[in-house]
Structure formats: structure tokens, C-alpha cells
Amino acid sequence: MSEAAGVIHDIGYQRYTGPRFGRAYVFTSMYVHGLRTAFGLGRSAKAKIFPWFVLGVVFLTGTVLAAVRAQVPDAGVTYTAFVDMMAWLVVFFVAVVAPELVSRDLRSGVLPLYFSRPLRRADYAYAKLAALATAVFLLLGAPQVLMFLVAAFSADNMSQFWTEVGDVGPGLFYALLWAAVFAGIGLLVASMTGKRAFAAGGIVAVFLMTTPIVGVLSVLPSQTMNDLALLFSPSSLVFGVGVWLFDTGNEAEVIGPYGPLYLAVTLGVVAGCVALLQARYRKVASS
Amino acid sequence: MTALSDLTVSVEPGIVGLVGANGAGKSTLIKILLGLLAPTSGRVRVLDLDPTVDAAAVRARVGYMPEHESLSPDLSAAEFVTHLGRISGLPRTAARERASEALRHVGLYEERYRQIGGYSTGMKQRVKLAQALVHDPDLLLLDEPTNGLDPAGRDAMLALIHRIGTEFGISVVVCSHLLGEVERICDSLIAIDGGRLLRSDNISAMTTVTDVLAVEVSEGIDQLAARLDLLGLNVRRDGRLLLVPLEDDATYDRILTAVAELDLPLHRLDQRRHRVAELFAAREVTHV
């Protein structure tokens, strides 16, 4: 049945008279495509292996934690603890997915096809950022929803139910914070190179190679230094914010009185990454 | 650096060839037309829109096929072209349908669910053309569409472009450094060099000047030149070649007769391939 590749079928051309949507639609299309790419949808089976493995691990962990909480109500396994537990896995997820989202486009030269369409450069970067942040948020947030549902249905009374609501809310906010930091840093690093292996290595380096700095600073004989140590690695930075906001009681031991500074630095890092990413895509060659 | 200067040209609907040597400014001109580069001075109108102001409106109605590799190897052609259709603003279903249509028009139908990474150069060029067509543009900008194709692939691509320009009702600008290629399908030609306009003309006006026969004899070149001159042919020396404007088929006979009468050893007699360089040379001669 296969036609020779050289055959050009002689069937009449039809003009398109339907609607053409504007900026919001184009942005959404780009965002949805990015989110699908993050989980390997619409791509080869090989591209699905890693994202679905990570998805499997977080949901398995979520299920186990939900079961533990149902059996041992005082086990102390909180929603935010789940996020902390999964953070390392998400580092690798971002290291694999961020290059798929942006390095691949740089490498394959597909950007001229995008930028010769009604898609703004800034929107391209924002859509990719939103897609990656959503993917990370889904990984960290969806299992929490599962945990919440299990807890909510096994709640004995309304007050227990509302306690759960009060717990899962901060947990999801914490996940959102992680998503913003991971996506911002990951995408910025990945947008620097078209080589996916370099991009992945760079992302892992930024997240993991900075932890020794934190380690060194936290054993220095200065209380102030120890309190500020967690600022120097992205993961510990967000962890610090989590301690300040949700882990009432322990904060004095870990971050001292600097909670607001941690939050400010975190937001600053995200804003800085977004600004640099935008600057990068203002310059990147369009052909 | 100035890539284009003093270029004033207006283009009528139809198929327009944009010819010039590598680095002449063809791609720069296309980028200005797409609103990707802003001209430092001067004015551009594309489809009655100003790309420096209404870039999005221009890009929604223009299809662009870039010169270089520009496809996602990990997607199938159907998936890729559909996605780009949506980025052009087409609704989901329309994008999918038109992607299939566009791929069918370029001759990729059975293969459209295979990953682009496994495609041949010819198939990739077709996908690039299909993505430029998917949103039914009013104007197609094709940058070196026959790049990397074998002769058969070139012919098929040129025939396809010709059909798009004549039957689909889409205006086409084809960039090429090969005049011989674009003159076969274009209605008019724009020749640029060093960012300056050399000529902008109807195709027939261009080629009558450039159709030249090259004659090479191993001896007696002066004799032959004198004889042809006597026959009223406008002979020009070019090293060991004689260049004779091809007026009609009789020109061949007159040259052959002259060579035979002088009993000279004829090495070759052929119609010169039109290259842009010759187009420019011919122009200098005729206008000096």
C-alpha cells in the first residue's frame, strides 16, 4: 500500500476559513505541549520510562504514607515531610525533563518555526516554565491529595477533617514553592545549552554540588553562619522556608530568626531565574 | 554590519524568486519580512501589514520554511505539524486535520506517524514545507527549499512549489542561490547581491539576456570568433570559451556550420547553466 516517497498526491487544496485564535490560545497550546512533553506523552515509549517511573515512586510513597497515617495517627508523617522526602527524586526529574523542554528546541533548530508564528518569545519561555512547574507540582502535590483523601474518608468527625484540611493546605503551598524554585533554576540552566547531557549535569550540579557548602557553613563556630547556611543551596533554601512556615517549634534550631530572609531569598531566586530566562530568549537566535 | 542597503522592491502575487549568492542578504530580507528583525531604516509592508508593528498578524498569515534543519526528531510528523498548527492559532481539531492535509499535499501520508528522526533529507524538507502550509498562509517564504535534495527530489520539490503558487492560490517567495532552479517555476525574479538590488523583473525579460551558448574549440578560436561576428552573432570571449547569445534554435546550426566550414576541432557546445554570477556578468556587459 505504501506510496513511493516521491509521489505527490494530486488532490485539490482547500483554503482554511475557520477561526484563528489569539495569544491566550497560542500560549495555552505551548503550555499543554510542554506538560505533555514532561511526561513523555505524544512521544516514544522510551521518553515515557523515566517520568512514569518517578510518578510511580511518588504515588507509591504517597500510598504507603497514607496507610501509615491511617494505622498510626500519631506517626508524625506530615504533608510537608512527604515533600521533603521526595525532593531529591524531583531534582533528577527536573534534570531529565528541563533539557527535554528547552535544550531539545535549541538543538533541533525548531525555534525559528515558533518565532515565525504568532508566539512571542516571552510567552515561549513563560509557557515552558509553567509547564515544568506544573509537572513538578503534580509530582509533589497529587500524592498529597491522595493522602488527604484517605485521611478525610477515615476521619471520625468533622474536626479531624478540618485538621486535615489545615495540614494539606500548607503542604500544597510548600509543593508550589518547590515547583517554582526547581522549574526556575532547572529551565534557566537547560536554556544555556542545546546538549541535553550537559544541561542535565548542570542542573544536578546546581542542586547537589551546593550541599557541601551548606555542610561546611553549618559546622562553622558562628551561630549566625549556621543559621544562614541553608541559604546556599536551592533545596536547603526551600527547606528553610518550610521549617519557618510549617515546622513550628524546630525553627530556632535550624534557621534561627531568619525565616523571612529565607522566604525573601527564595522568591528572589525565582524572580531572578525568570528574568534571566527572559533575557536569554530575547537574545537567542531566531534562525 | 549592513546586510541590506538601498533595497527597494515590490512584489506582485505569484511565485517570486529571490536569488543571490550566499551571504547576499536573502535570509536577512526574509527575517525582516517576518518581523524577526527590525530594519534600521526604511519601510516594509507584507500583505498590507507592517511587520514591525503587527508582527503577530503578519506571522499568522505567513508560512516560513527555514533553510536549516528545524524539526523535532523525537516527534512524528503528524504530531509536530499539528502542534505548529495550533501555535499558529488553529483550533485543536482543525490543526490535526490540516496537518494531515498538508502532509498529504507534500507527499507524506503513510509515513506521517513515524518519528521525524528516521526520515531522509527529502522527507524532512517536505515536513518543513508542510509546517509552513498547515495554517493556510496567504504568503509562503521558502528559504533554499531544495537544499540537500538529489536531482529527483529537487524536481519534485520545485513542481510542488509551482503547484502551491499556481493552484493553491498562495503567493510564494522562493530564495535560492541557483537561478537555474527558480527560473523554472517563478513568474518574476529579484536578484540581490551584497544587500543591494541588482534586478527585479519578469522572468522572461531576465532569461533572454542570460541564455548563452558556450563554444570551445581546441584551436582557431580567433578565426571562429571573427566568422561568427561576421554572421551577425554578438560573440564574447571568456578565456578559452566563446559565449554566444542564444536567440533561437537556429543559433546552434549557425555555430556548427561555421565550425565545420573552418574545419576546427570542436570540444563542446552547450547551453550554459544559469548561475547568478553570470546573470550579473551579462547585465554588466549589456549596460556598460
Side-chain angles (χ1 to χ4, degrees):
Chain A
M1 282 300 289
S2 169
E3 302 273 356
V7 173
I8 290 160
H9 297 261
D10 194 14
I11 301 170
Y13 181 79
Q14 289 192 322
R15 303 296 310 234
Y16 176 73
T17 49
R20 291 169 195 263
F21 297 132
R23 186 178 175 190
Y25 175 82
V26 171
F27 179 87
T28 312
S29 300
M30 199 68 218
Y31 166 75
V32 170
H33 181 75
L35 194 54
R36 286 170 55 86
T37 304
F39 291 105
L41 298 176
R43 298 171 60 224
S44 66
K46 215 173 72 183
K48 292 184 180 71
I49 296 174
F50 185 72
W52 288 90
F53 166 75
V54 173
L55 213 56
V57 170
V58 293
F59 268 102
L60 195 64
T61 313
T63 313
V64 170
L65 290 186
V68 168
R69 284 160 54 90
Q71 297 300 317
V72 195
D74 298 325
V77 202
T78 58
Y79 293 100
T80 49
F82 167 79
V83 175
D84 288 334
M85 229 181 275
M86 290 295 111
W88 64 274
L89 188 61
V90 174
V91 169
F92 289 103
F93 177 78
V94 170
V96 169
V97 169
E100 289 290 338
L101 285 173
V102 289
S103 305
R104 225 179 225 293
D105 284 359
L106 286 168
R107 173 79 158 192
S108 62
V110 76
L111 289 177
L113 299 188
Y114 283 137
F115 297 151
S116 62
R117 293 185 143 77
L119 169 71
R120 302 183 187 193
R121 283 160 179 256
D123 285 358
Y124 171 88
Y126 283 130
K128 294 283 187 183
L129 198 61
L132 183 57
T134 308
V136 173
F137 180 69
L138 280 177
L139 287 181
L140 294 176
Q144 291 190 54
V145 173
L146 178 77
M147 288 163 67
F148 169 75
L149 288 177
V150 170
F153 280 110
S154 56
D156 297 328
N157 50 49
M158 278 314 275
S159 97
Q160 267 189 24
F161 173 78
W162 287 114
T163 312
E164 283 302 320
V165 173
D167 284 349
V168 77
L172 290 176
F173 176 78
Y174 192 39
L176 197 64
L177 210 56
W178 275 106
V181 172
F182 275 122
I185 295 176
L187 219 54
L188 178 64
V189 174
S191 73
M192 295 301 164
T193 172
K195 294 200 170 71
R196 280 180 293 154
F198 287 2
I203 293 167
V204 171
V206 168
F207 280 99
L208 298 188
M209 300 298 170
T210 46
T211 47
I213 305 175
V214 176
V216 169
L217 291 178
S218 57
V219 295
L220 286 180
S222 152
Q223 185 58 44
T224 312
M225 239 348 147
N226 296 351
D227 289 345
L228 294 177
L230 295 183
L231 285 174
F232 291 89
S233 175
S235 348
S236 61
L237 172 67
V238 185
F239 177 72
V241 178
V243 169
W244 176 54
L245 287 179
F246 314 121
D247 210 4
T248 39
N250 287 338
E251 62 184 80
E253 300 166 21
V254 189
I255 55 167
Y258 299 108
L261 178 66
Y262 273 83
L263 182 61
V265 171
T266 304
L267 297 178
V269 165
V270 173
C273 285
V274 172
L276 287 171
L277 192 66
Q278 288 296 342
R280 166 77 177 132
Y281 277 97
R282 264 195 298 278
K283 276 192 173 170
V284 74
S286 58
S287 71
Chain B
M1 213 183 79
T2 310
L4 287 174
S5 64
D6 303 336
L7 185 68
T8 304
V9 67
S10 67
V11 171
E12 302 296 318
I15 306 180
V16 179
L18 181 61
V19 287
N22 292 328
K26 304 188 294 288
S27 299
T28 307
L29 181 58
I30 283 193
K31 279 185 218 164
I32 290 175
L33 295 179
L34 282 168
L36 294 173
L37 282 178
T40 43
S41 65
R43 218 170 61 93
V44 196
R45 303 289 288 175
V46 178
L47 303 167
D48 278 329
L49 294 164
D50 185 344
T52 57
V53 182
D54 292 322
V58 170
R59 291 182 206 147
R61 293 176 57 197
V62 174
Y64 170 48
M65 174 177 176
E67 177 180 2
H68 302 289
E69 186 101 338
S70 55
L71 305 171
S72 290
D74 59 323
L75 295 180
S76 71
E79 183 97 18
F80 183 69
V81 177
T82 303
H83 171 54
L84 287 170
R86 299 184 64 189
I87 300 302
S88 284
L90 299 194
R92 183 190 292 266
T93 320
R96 199 179 309 120
E97 286 169 6
R98 285 206 55 92
S100 291
E101 281 292 287
L103 286 165
R104 186 167 59 75
H105 281 298
V106 301
L108 286 175
Y109 198 70
E110 308 285 335
E111 305 89 342
R112 71 191 192 279
Y113 294 116
R114 275 172 41 201
Q115 285 200 353
I116 294 171
Y119 282 12
S120 68
T121 310
M123 290 162 82
K124 284 181 183 165
Q125 287 295 97
R126 285 156 189 266
V127 178
K128 276 161 67 178
L129 184 59
Q131 66 76 29
L133 271 178
V134 65
H135 54 295
D136 186 28
D138 295 318
L139 172 67
L140 265 186
L141 301 175
L142 311 176
D143 200 347
E144 303 279 1
T146 56
N147 239 7
L149 297 182
D150 59 24
R154 253 159 217 271
D155 288 346
M157 177 60 76
L158 290 172
L160 183 57
I161 295 168
H162 184 69
R163 268 195 67 209
I164 292 171
T166 51
E167 291 171 34
F168 293 14
I170 299 173
S171 293
V172 185
V173 173
V174 191
C175 275
S176 180
H177 60 281
L178 294 169
L179 176 60
E181 210 165 67
V182 290
E183 70 169 17
R184 281 162 50 190
I185 55 166
C186 292
D187 306 319
S188 54
L189 271 180
I190 299 169
I192 58 175
D193 188 36
R196 283 166 198 281
L197 179 68
L198 282 171
R199 299 191 72 182
S200 166
D201 216 335
N202 205 292
I203 193 87
S204 51
M206 281 258 196
T207 45
T208 44
V209 183
T210 55
D211 269 7
V212 165
L213 288 178
V215 192
E216 188 180 350
V217 285
S218 40
E219 56 186 61
I221 188 165
D222 295 322
Q223 264 176 290
L224 182 61
R227 171 65 73 97
L228 292 176
D229 207 27
L230 215 64
L231 291 169
L233 294 171
N234 184 14
V235 186
R236 203 152 53 81
R237 280 286 289 271
D238 181 13
R240 295 170 54 217
L241 288 176
L242 288 178
L243 300 179
V244 185
L246 178 62
E247 277 148 22
D248 48 50
D249 285 345
T251 313
Y252 278 104
D253 298 334
R254 290 159 81 183
I255 295 171
L256 285 175
T257 313
V259 171
E261 282 173 9
L262 292 170
D263 200 17
L264 296 174
L266 180 65
H267 260 217
R268 71 182 179 123
L269 169 63
D270 54 25
Q271 191 170 345
R272 271 215 154 173
R273 280 198 67 178
H274 302 297
R275 282 180 297 114
V276 178
E278 282 164 29
L279 175 73
F280 303 153
R283 176 172 166 74
E284 276 154 27
V285 168
T286 45
H287 286 263
V288 164

